[in-house]
């Protein structure tokens, strides 16, 4: 009974932390859209977030006295750390930032919720044979509801934009939605329980840094140096989304990493980003409210998230 109570408490705490992380993650979509509208190069928008994150996280982990342990962990499996963090942080955020140039922030946020479905399938696939847990029918149904919601929003957007623009704003975000849970779950397996959320986030940032250095070079060649406003806004994204939200989310996933059903529910809390992002875009960018199809889509996405959480 005590064990079951502890498991349930961990699930509830994880879902609460995941929802709070969604609030801070929402700043990414809104500020990225602001920078895209103002003409800031997407390469700088993406790379500066992680360049800002590096010293912040380094200081936190060093003060906690956990730096040497992290560096030993990375050194013991350097190739895997470099590979999966280039995917989990690099590919994920570069595609997300690129997509912000071609659609409103709430649409990018809602499209990114495909990560809920991707995470549900990736978990069992990366488990060793004989240890795989099946995907529950309920989780599959709730994920389908979310997917239908995303499709409705895409249909609504297609009515007011060209096919080329819609594809450029959708396909990269879908790639990022797969890359993020893939990289995150692989790193959970590689690091095991040997690192806390602070160490794992710093380690992932360090090992994705070669990708960001190359991308920033492309940004310089195409756009020159970043503007002062872009420097400030990327710092805010780094602090709110890169540090606070990521640590909250990784702490949440660490609490339930042995339970794929609960882990899917935690990942589903990120659907709340759609609501938080929509509110932020309306308040800061004075954006128009979504139309009928889009509103229905948003409701379905959030409904799917709630059902996921309740079934955990």
């Amino acid at each position: 009974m005590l064990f079951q109570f502890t498991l349930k408490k961990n699930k509830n705490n994880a879902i609460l932390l995941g929802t709070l992380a969604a609030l801070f993650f929402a700043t990414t979509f809104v500020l990225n859209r602001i920078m895209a509208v103002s003409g800031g190069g997407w390469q700088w928008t993406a790379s500066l977030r992680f360049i800002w994150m590096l010293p912040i996280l380094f200081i936190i982990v060093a003060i906690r006295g956990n730096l040497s342990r992290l560096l030993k962990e990375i050194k013991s499996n350097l190739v895997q750390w470099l590979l999966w963090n280039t995917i989990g942080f690099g590919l994920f955020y570069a595609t997300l930032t690129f997509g912000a140039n071609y659609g409103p922030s709430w649409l990018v946020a809602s499209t990114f919720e495909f990560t809920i479905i991707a995470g549900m399938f990736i978990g069992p696939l990366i488990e060793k044979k004989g240890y795989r847990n099946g995907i529950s029918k309920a989780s599959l149904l709730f994920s389908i509801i979310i997917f239908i919601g995303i499709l409705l929003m895409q249909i609504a957007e297609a009515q007011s934009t060209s096919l080329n623009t819609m594809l450029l704003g959708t396909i990269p975000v879908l790639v990022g939605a797969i890359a993020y849970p893939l990289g995150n779950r692989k790193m959970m397996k590689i690091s095991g329980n040997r690192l806390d959320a602070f160490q794992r986030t710093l380690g992932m940032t360090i090992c994705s840094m070669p990708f960001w250095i190359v991308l920033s070079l492309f940004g310089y060649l195409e756009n020159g140096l970043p503007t002062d406003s872009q420097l400030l806004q990327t710092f805010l994204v780094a602090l709110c989304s890169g540090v606070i939200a990521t640590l909250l989310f990784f702490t949440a996933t660490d609490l339930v990493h042995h339970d794929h059903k609960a882990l899917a529910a935690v990942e589903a809390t990120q659907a709340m980003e759609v609501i938080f992002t929509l509110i932020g875009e309306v308040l800061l960018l004075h954006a128009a409210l979504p139309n009928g199809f889009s509103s229905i889509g948003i409701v379905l996405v959030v409904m799917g998230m709630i059902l996921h959480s309740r079934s955990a």
Side-chain angles (χ1 to χ4, degrees), residues 18-19 21-22 25 113 116 249 266-274 305:
T19 303
F25 273 133
E113 299 318 313
I116 296 167
F249 184 68
V266 170
E267 289 175 337
T269 62
Q270 301 313 287
M272 287 303 295
E273 292 170 8
V274 181
M305 183 277 292

Side-chain angles (χ1 to χ4, degrees), residues 16-31:
L16 177 61
L17 289 173
T19 303
L20 190 58
L23 173 61
F24 286 96
F25 273 133
T27 61
T28 294
F29 300 104
V30 177
L31 290 175

Side-chain angles (χ1 to χ4, degrees), residues 123-133 189:
L125 286 175
I126 64 176
E127 289 292 331
K128 293 181 180 179
K129 189 175 180 181
Y131 292 90
R132 294 179 180 175
N133 295 323
K189 286 181 64 65

Side-chain angles (χ1 to χ4, degrees), residues 1 4-5 24 30 36 45 50 58 64 101 113 119-120 125 143 161 202 215 238 266 269 274 279-280 284 301 303 305:
M1 287 293 293
Q4 290 178 338
F5 174 77
F24 286 96
V30 177
T45 299
F50 290 87
F58 188 89
R64 288 164 59 89
N101 288 280
E113 299 318 313
M120 184 181 67
L125 286 175
S143 295
T161 188
L202 174 60
L215 189 64
V266 170
T269 62
V274 181
I279 294 171
L284 297 177
V301 168
M303 183 187 301
M305 183 277 292

Side-chain angles (χ1 to χ4, degrees), residues 118-285:
M120 184 181 67
F121 284 97
I122 286 170
L125 286 175
I126 64 176
E127 289 292 331
K128 293 181 180 179
K129 189 175 180 181
Y131 292 90
R132 294 179 180 175
N133 295 323
I135 300 171
S136 72
K137 292 181 180 179
S139 295
L140 182 60
L141 174 61
F142 303 152
S143 295
I144 290 173
I145 292 173
I146 293 171
F147 186 62
I148 292 173
I150 293 171
L151 285 179
L152 285 176
M153 286 183 280
Q154 296 298 333
I155 291 171
E157 183 66 12
Q159 296 174 350
S160 60
T161 188
S162 68
L163 177 62
N164 185 56
T165 299
M166 189 185 74
L167 291 177
L168 286 172
T170 301
I171 293 177
V173 178
L174 290 176
V175 172
I178 297 171
Y180 186 62
L182 176 60
N184 184 30
R185 292 197 181 206
K186 288 295 291 187
M187 286 313 305
M188 281 193 288
K189 286 181 64 65
I190 291 169
S191 61
N193 293 320
R194 296 182 296 276
L195 301 175
D196 61 25
F198 291 93
Q199 291 171 300
R200 186 153 64 93
T201 307
L202 174 60
M204 293 177 73
T205 303
I206 292 172
C207 292
S208 66
M209 204 50 58
F211 178 90
W212 299 123
I213 292 172
V214 172
L215 189 64
S216 63
L217 289 175
F218 279 103
Y220 176 75
L221 292 174
E222 185 174 326
N223 305 288
L225 293 173
T227 63
D228 291 342
S229 62
Q230 195 171 22
L231 286 170
L232 175 60
Q233 288 164 342
T234 52
F235 174 76
L236 292 175
V237 171
L239 183 61
C240 294
S241 182
V243 177
I244 298 174
T246 302
L247 289 173
L248 287 170
F249 184 68
F250 281 1
T251 301
T253 55
D254 284 346
L255 284 174
V256 293
H257 70 280
H258 289 303
D259 186 340
H260 286 292
K261 190 176 180 182
L263 191 56
V266 170
E267 289 175 337
T269 62
Q270 301 313 287
M272 287 303 295
E273 292 170 8
V274 181
I275 301 300
F276 297 138
T277 300
L278 176 60
I279 294 171
E281 185 163 17
V282 170
L283 292 176
L284 297 177
L285 290 172

Side-chain angles (χ1 to χ4, degrees), residues 59-97:
I59 292 171
I60 292 173
V61 174
I63 290 175
R64 288 164 59 89
N66 294 328
L67 188 58
S68 60
R69 183 178 175 185
L70 167 63
L71 296 178
K72 288 179 182 178
E73 188 71 29
I74 293 174
K75 186 178 179 181
S76 69
N77 206 351
L78 180 60
V79 174
Q80 291 291 308
W81 273 83
L82 289 171
L83 171 63
W84 294 112
N85 292 312
T86 296
I87 293 173
F89 269 11
L91 184 61
F92 143 65
Y93 197 65
T95 53
L96 198 67
T97 308

